[in-house]
Structure formats: structure tokens, C-alpha cells
Amino acid sequence: MKHLLILAARSAWNRRLTLGMTLVAVTLSVTLLLGVERIRHDAREGFSHSVSGTDLIVGASTSHVQLMLYAVFRIGEATNNMRWQSYLDLKLNPAVAWAVPLSLGDSHRGFPVLGTNASYFDHFRYGDDRALGFKEGQPFKGVFDAVLGADVADQLGYKLGDRIVLTHGIGGIGGLEHADKPFVVTGILAPTGTPVDRTVHVSLEAISAIHLDWQGGAPLPGFSIPQQFVQKFDLTPKDITAVLVGLKSRIGVFKMQRYVADYAGEPLLAVLPGAALSQLWQVIGTVEQALLAVATMVVVVGLAGLVAVVLASLNERRRELAILRSVGARPVDVFVLLILEGLFITLLGCILGVALLAGASAVIGPWVQTRYGIGVAPRLISPDELRLLAAVIGAGLMSSLVPGYRAYRLSLADGLTPRL
Amino acid sequence: MSDPVIRIENLSFQWSAGLAPCLDIPHFEVQAGERIFLYGPSGSGKSTLLGLFGGVLLPQRGSLRLLGVELPQCSASERDRFRAGHVGFLFQQFNLIPYLSVLDNVLLPCRFSSRRRQRAIDSGRSLHDEALRLLDHLDIDTSLHHREATQLSVGQQQRVAAARALIGRPEIVIADEPTSALDADRQIAFLDLMMHESDAAGSTLVFVSHDRRLATAFDREIALPAINHAAVLEAAA
Ligand SMILES: Nc1ncnc2c1ncn2[C@@H]1O[C@H](COP(=O)(O)OP(=O)(O)O)[C@@H](O)[C@H]1O
Ligand SMILES: [Mg+2]
């Protein structure tokens, strides 16, 4: 067996150019497959961990999915706001333990800005019922205090005491800036691996304050209120985007949901985060399934190419196989020789694919994190990926049976003298 | 007298059921240590007969005994093992595995047969040294040992192939037109080396050629058409 291994390796090395090209194909296809699986896994992981401990999310009536997207993921523009009064009514409901108001719409260099109050830092939970922690500083106290998520501070290099300017709208670039009212960084949160890391937190009053002299998404021409005078105005918000609600007893959650749906003041919607997350995941899920299917097809194409190349080489190798037979090789040895060759390429492709993916994760992982909020955990390989890899190797072995069997037949027919 | 090394009785072989028999040999024997020159025109079935000796082809009828072993009654893997252990082969051209060095080519039979490996080191030398000795005897310069086989001239390739056929002292050495690709004067030199070494190894040599001029150096010369009745029938038809 050992001498067959050496022979197979030498023979493959002798045809390294053609085999090298197929190796590239197999490697890239394995990288793609594992990459898709990795992003899929991490996206789902981050997704299901993005919020916990909140019993209901209430917002102006849109779809469940949309409400989740902006309340939890801070993605997209909230088209309908709910009135402040509705929030107060909700908070006073005897079944409600706590209610955290959320107000979205501004951004800072591409990161969403969330207006809320200090209770957010007490009640917000993520992952396995984990509370938010401060890496440095403390929650906002003044109107123009800001608390940064870990990624925001990290990527923009902010420290406590730095001044930042918010941009109107979520666009980031080209948006009008609230340049006349800069904020001071008073706190930086510990990393959570959730959208919180990418959020700039300010008080609801701050959101009101920076829009005092604005109307309809633009500053009022020829009218501006200097920063030091905003306190003279009533900064109570008129409306907000959504409310995170914690109940005294989880049993009342459906009753509460109905209460919100029947709320007389305005049409409102209450969603259960767990249910909505899985609903949302189903939408994304079909995409990820499709991606995985495409990646699988690419692997199949890669392996088909491998089979084609090895098969094509067989004709020029008939003499070689006949020589091996004459020095004592059995047809089975010839079969094994060809299987080993296919297996070599597949294994090598898998190893290189894993290495390439590890490199790619390290290099583009942070970019994916900022751009799409998917935290790609740096790792060599996960059990799920290992299973996929095993499947690829299995498929490589199966496809090597084709040239293996063909060589077996050829060497039986040719014997010692190939008819060329 | 000891048993014959090769013994054929009423053997008949045809390539496929529809075709006329290619070989029909009532009787043929080769004694131990003999040097046989087997000749016949192209297409007369010489290579086919060697395929039978190698156990890769099976006669439809008759007896084929090598070293007392009735080959047609052996399983395919027994025949493969027999060939690996007892028979050294040498062909017309392109005998070497192109991606192996000269030395590795010579050692190939010892990789597939523990018997050949054992017999190669019986002399007290290491396997490696035995290969070196054979190569030296066959006039292959040490500088060539680690070259790839394809970098050698045709004559050098044939001598390396001869060393491979002889390593581990197989009882039978079969050469199928090994000199056809060589110049006339090279043919004689090669033949001398080959005979000398096969004698030294104690092997029985079956040398096949369509060129009768080479026959003089051999113990016995046999025309295949003379022992093969199938060919006679074909010629008569
Ligand atoms: N693999 C094969 N399949 C079918 N017929 C074959 C095969 N090999 C040889 N033959 C036929 O057997 C006959 C003898 O061929 P061969 O033994 O190669 O002759 P030689 O070696 O004397 O030139 C020829 O007629 C040839 O066509
Ligand atoms: Mg021939």
C-alpha cells in the first residue's frame, strides 16, 4: 500500500500542471462551500442572539419583519412612527414591568444612531440573557452625551471625551449634518456581537434637540437654535420608532399583544421577538439555502473536472499501467492507484480550501462585520464545516471510482502489451 | 533431470470466441537454465504466448505449467503474485516508468513482490546495492542513477529495463523483441550483457524476436509457426 501511495504521488507530480489546475478548481469550490456555510452559520448565530429578555416589541403598524429589522437590527428607515402618548399608556399598563423607547433615523458615519433613555442599559438583554456592560465610561446624562457600541469606537478610533457629529438620515454619505450640535462620548460599551456594537446611543431628548430647528428632513432656512439654548425648549419627543416591552409575567404576552392590536389611540403592532426572528430567518433562510445549493453545485463541477482530467490522462498512461502490471501489479493495484490520485487532489483541495477560508475570514471578516453586521468568528473549522468537508471527501472518493474502474478494465484488457 | 521450467500440453488460445484460434500448441517445453530464441513473423502470436506465460491471458484449453504451477488453475491474484515473484519482463520499447528515477525503476519488482525483494538481498547486499551492482554490470553510469528515465537514450533505457527484469533473480526472464529499437551493433552488445547477467542470476531466458540473425548466441532456436498449429492452419487457409 505504501509503495502505491508513493507511486500515485510521483505520478501525480509528473502531471502537476493539469492536475494543478483541477486542484485550483477543487480548492476554490471547497472554499466557496465552506465560506457560505460559515457565513450562514454565523449570521444565524448572531441573529438569534441579537435580542433576548424582551417580551414584546411594539411599533406603528407595519409588518412584523420590518418592525424587527429596525427595532433590533437598526436596518432600514422606519416609515411610521408611534406617538409618545402611546408609549406612556403602554408603560402605565399594570402588566408591563418595563418599557424602553427607541427612536431611529439619524446616523454617524454609516452607523445608526439610537435615541433611547437610560433604562435601555438596564433592561436590554442579548444572547443568553446577558446585560450590556460598559468597557469605559457610563450612560449618557446630559443631552449631548453619546454612548458608543464597541465596533463604532473601535473602527472610528474614538475615546471618551471625543466629539462626534450626527448625520441626518441613515444614508451616511451625502446626508445633512447636525454640525452645529456635536456630541461628547461619555461611554463605550463592551462588545456583544450584536447590532448594539454598531450603534451610537443618545438620549431621546438629544434627538429632539438636534431637530428643533429642522422641518421635513432639512434645517429651517435662516433659523437656528444654538446648542446651549436647547434646554429652554420642551425636549419631550412627540413620537418614537418602537418600544421594547418587558412583562411582569410572560404568561400575559398574548393578552398584551391583543391589547396593543386593539389600542384605540392609533394602529399599533406588537411582535414576539423570538417568533419574529424565526419568521425573519425563514425569509433569509431560503436565500442561504439557495446559496448553499449553488456552492454545492460548484463543488460537483470541480469534482467532475477532476474526473474528466484523470480520465483523459488514462489513455496516455496505458503504457505506464502495462509496465506496472509486468512488474507484478494486480489490476486492483491499478484501481487503487487511480483512486489515490483522485483522493489526493480532493484532500489537498480540502486542506487548501480550509486554509484559504481561514485567511479570507481573517482578512475580510472585519469588513463583513462592519458592512453587514455578521460577526465571522475566526476559527479553523467548525463541526458543521467538518461534516461538509467529509461529504466533499466522500464525493471525491466516489467520483474517483470512475477513473479507477476504467483503469482496472483497461489493465485487464491490455495485460502486458497495451494496444495503442 | 529436473522438471521443465515451462511446459505446454495441447494448449489453445483464441482472442475472442468468434475468431480463429491464435495459438494451438500441442507440446512445448523449456528446461531450467536454457536460453531459448523464439522467432516468428509479426502477428504470429509471439507476444500472445508471452502474455500466457505472464498469467495475464488464459488459454481456453490445455495445460500451461510454469515451475510446476498450473497457471490456468490459479486465481487471478495468484497468477499476478506468480508473475511478480518468478518472471522478469522486458519489452521492445518504453519499458520505464517516466516519472521514476533509473534506480526506482530497477527496484519496482521488489516493491510488488516480497519474494523478489528477499532474493535480491540474499546475496548479502542491501536492496540498493544490488540494484547498483546490476546497473553497473549493465553499463549504466552512476551519474545516471537519479535521472528520470525519459532522459536516457533508448539503448540505456533497455539496459535499465534489463536490470529491472533481472533483480531478485527471477527463475524466468522473458524478453519481447528488446533489441528491435537498437542499432545493429548495439543489438549484439546488449544481447551479450543480457545473456551474461541472466546466466549469473541462474534464470531461464526466453528471448523473442522476428529477426533470426540474433539466434546464434542461444542454446536453442524455435520457430513459433513450427510449434503452433493454429498458425499453420492460418497459413494454409
Ligand atoms: N488484445 C488483442 N485483442 C485481439 N487480438 C489481438 C490482441 N493482441 C494481439 N491480437 C492478435 O493476435 C495475433 C498475434 O499477435 P501478437 O501476439 O502481438 O503477434 P507478434 O507478437 O508475434 O507480433 C495478431 O493477429 C493480433 O492481431
Ligand atoms: Mg509482439
Side-chain angles (χ1 to χ4, degrees):
Chain A
M1 195 62 192
K2 187 179 149 231
H3 65 279
L4 287 182
L5 259 171
I6 295 171
L7 269 182
R10 293 271 190 88
S11 169
W13 181 247
N14 190 44
R15 283 167 291 120
R16 56 190 171 274
L17 191 62
T18 39
L19 288 181
M21 292 320 284
T22 35
L23 178 61
V24 168
V26 173
T27 300
L28 289 181
S29 70
V30 167
T31 312
L32 181 69
L33 181 69
L34 293 187
V36 166
E37 167 63 21
R38 179 163 296 187
I39 288 187
R40 187 174 99 108
H41 176 273
D42 288 359
R44 177 186 305 202
E45 194 81 336
F47 203 79
S48 59
H49 282 158
S50 52
V51 62
S52 71
T54 296
D55 295 312
L56 284 173
I57 296 173
V58 178
S61 177
T62 48
S63 73
H64 289 228
V65 167
Q66 248 186 327
L67 187 52
M68 289 300 291
L69 276 181
Y70 54 69
V72 175
F73 298 99
R74 285 122 207 208
I75 294 171
E77 211 135 3
T79 42
N80 300 330
N81 279 350
M82 61 186 278
R83 282 191 221 119
W84 182 246
Q85 185 56 45
S86 310
Y87 161 71
L88 293 180
D89 287 348
L90 206 57
K91 194 169 144 72
L92 291 176
N93 187 297
V96 170
W98 52 264
V100 175
L102 306 176
S103 182
L104 291 145
D106 283 347
S107 62
H108 174 68
R109 300 184 59 180
F111 293 103
V113 170
L114 175 69
T116 181
N117 59 31
S119 68
Y120 175 85
F121 301 106
D122 299 328
H123 296 300
F124 185 86
R125 294 284 186 279
Y126 68 96
D128 214 1
D129 202 28
R130 299 171 63 178
L132 295 177
F134 274 81
K135 189 173 148 235
E136 291 173 89
Q138 53 192 30
F140 41 76
K141 285 209 184 74
V143 175
F144 292 102
D145 290 353
V147 171
L148 307 183
D151 287 349
V152 183
D154 203 38
Q155 279 163 36
L156 301 179
Y158 289 142
K159 329 176 279 300
L160 294 185
D162 281 353
R163 295 179 156 258
I164 63 172
V165 166
L166 306 191
T167 306
H168 190 75
I170 55 160
I173 317 146
L176 293 164
E177 296 205 321
H178 298 287
D180 56 330
K181 301 188 180 66
F183 284 70
V184 177
V185 177
T186 62
I188 294 170
L189 295 173
T192 64
T194 73
V196 170
D197 294 353
R198 315 186 350 93
T199 304
V200 175
H201 305 80
V202 299
S203 65
L204 284 171
E205 290 75 22
I207 300 285
S208 301
I210 56 177
H211 294 110
L212 273 178
D213 42 11
W214 283 49
Q215 200 168 48
L220 286 168
F223 177 69
S224 121
I225 297 164
Q227 192 164 18
Q228 60 269 34
F229 296 141
V230 297
Q231 302 282 17
K232 301 199 186 329
F233 294 81
D234 175 17
L235 293 178
T236 309
K238 290 186 195 58
D239 45 31
I240 55 173
T241 310
V243 185
L244 303 181
V245 176
L247 299 178
K248 287 180 180 142
S249 156
R250 291 218 61 190
I251 301 167
V253 71
F254 291 109
K255 207 170 147 221
M256 193 63 202
Q257 197 180 22
R258 231 171 306 124
Y259 165 79
V260 171
D262 297 341
Y263 180 71
E266 63 177 326
L268 288 179
L269 180 71
V271 303
L272 284 70
L277 277 179
S278 54
Q279 196 186 350
L280 188 51
W281 186 254
Q282 269 165 13
V283 178
I284 305 170
T286 45
V287 178
E288 53 138 40
Q289 293 288 339
L291 272 179
L292 200 60
V294 170
T296 308
M297 291 309 287
V298 173
V299 171
V300 171
V301 170
L303 290 180
L306 171 62
V307 170
V309 163
V310 177
L311 268 182
S313 74
L314 268 186
N315 258 340
E316 33 186 294
R317 294 177 66 191
R318 283 174 81 164
R319 163 97 32 201
E320 174 191 331
L321 299 182
I323 296 169
L324 289 177
R325 284 277 274 151
S326 79
V327 296
R330 297 163 299 167
V332 183
D333 294 327
V334 170
F335 177 76
V336 171
L337 209 58
L338 269 288
I339 299 276
L340 284 177
E341 180 166 318
L343 213 51
F344 269 156
I345 305 290
T346 315
L347 278 175
L348 211 57
C350 284
I351 292 170
L352 291 179
V354 168
L356 192 60
L357 183 63
S361 309
V363 174
I364 64 169
W367 179 78
V368 171
Q369 167 92 48
T370 32
R371 193 87 176 70
Y372 301 104
I374 300 170
V376 180
R379 57 172 175 259
L380 201 54
I381 193 140
S382 73
D384 271 346
E385 291 164 10
L386 213 54
R387 261 194 292 280
L388 273 184
L389 219 48
V392 172
I393 293 166
L397 185 64
M398 295 305 279
S399 30
S400 304
L401 292 179
V402 177
Y405 181 69
R406 168 106 182 110
Y408 177 89
R409 296 300 311 227
L410 271 180
S411 72
L412 264 187
D414 283 350
L416 307 176
T417 44
R419 323 225 92 211
L420 295 171
Chain B
M1 200 173 97
S2 62
D3 275 345
V5 169
I6 299 173
R7 183 191 159 97
I8 286 175
E9 291 297 346
N10 293 321
L11 174 141
S12 155
F13 175 84
Q14 61 196 94
W15 275 104
S16 60
L19 292 175
C22 173
L23 295 173
D24 182 359
I25 305 177
H27 182 81
F28 177 63
E29 271 186 17
V30 178
Q31 303 303 325
E34 262 193 308
R35 298 184 295 196
I36 300 290
F37 184 82
L38 187 69
Y39 72 92
S42 287
S44 58
K46 302 184 297 293
S47 297
T48 306
L49 183 59
L50 301 188
L52 285 160
F53 291 162
V56 295
L57 300 176
L58 280 182
Q60 276 76 21
R61 180 168 61 75
S63 155
L64 169 60
R65 253 173 199 281
L66 265 69
L67 305 168
V69 175
E70 184 67 34
L71 278 186
Q73 278 166 23
C74 295
S75 72
S77 69
E78 281 168 340
R79 278 181 273 128
D80 284 326
R81 179 133 35 92
F82 183 86
R83 176 177 69 253
H86 301 275
V87 190
F89 273 98
L90 176 57
F91 298 98
Q92 180 172 352
Q93 220 182 335
F94 310 117
N95 274 293
L96 305 182
I97 303 280
Y99 50 82
L100 293 182
S101 70
V102 164
L103 207 53
D104 284 331
N105 261 290
V106 173
L107 290 172
L108 263 182
C110 304
R111 308 264 183 249
F112 283 95
S113 165
S114 51
R115 182 173 194 272
R116 291 280 285 277
R117 181 166 56 244
Q118 195 50 53
R119 283 168 68 93
I121 57 178
D122 272 351
S123 55
R125 268 179 286 267
S126 74
L127 203 54
H128 189 255
D129 288 347
E130 173 65 5
L132 294 189
R133 185 189 68 84
L134 275 170
L135 284 171
D136 180 49
H137 282 212
L138 286 159
D139 260 354
I140 298 294
D141 195 82
T142 6
S143 66
L144 299 176
H145 289 185
H146 294 284
R147 292 263 182 93
E148 279 200 353
T150 42
Q151 295 171 316
L152 271 56
S153 74
V154 178
Q156 288 167 333
Q157 287 187 27
Q158 290 305 80
R159 279 178 278 141
V160 172
R164 185 177 68 199
L166 288 163
I167 197 165
R169 295 183 292 114
E171 285 89 338
I172 305 170
V173 171
I174 292 177
D176 190 355
E177 317 223 23
T179 54
S180 310
L182 303 182
D183 311 334
D185 46 342
R186 287 250 158 218
Q187 287 185 343
I188 304 297
F190 177 81
L191 210 56
D192 280 347
L193 279 176
M194 180 85 207
M195 295 250 220
H196 188 260
E197 283 312 307
S198 98
D199 275 355
S203 305
T204 303
L205 177 63
V206 178
F207 190 99
V208 170
S209 179
H210 64 271
D211 183 359
R212 237 188 117 179
R213 285 172 307 170
L214 298 171
T216 49
F218 288 83
D219 299 338
R220 191 146 67 99
E221 129 184 35
I222 296 161
L224 181 58
I227 57 166
N228 180 14
H229 289 190
V232 172
L233 285 177
E234 197 179 331

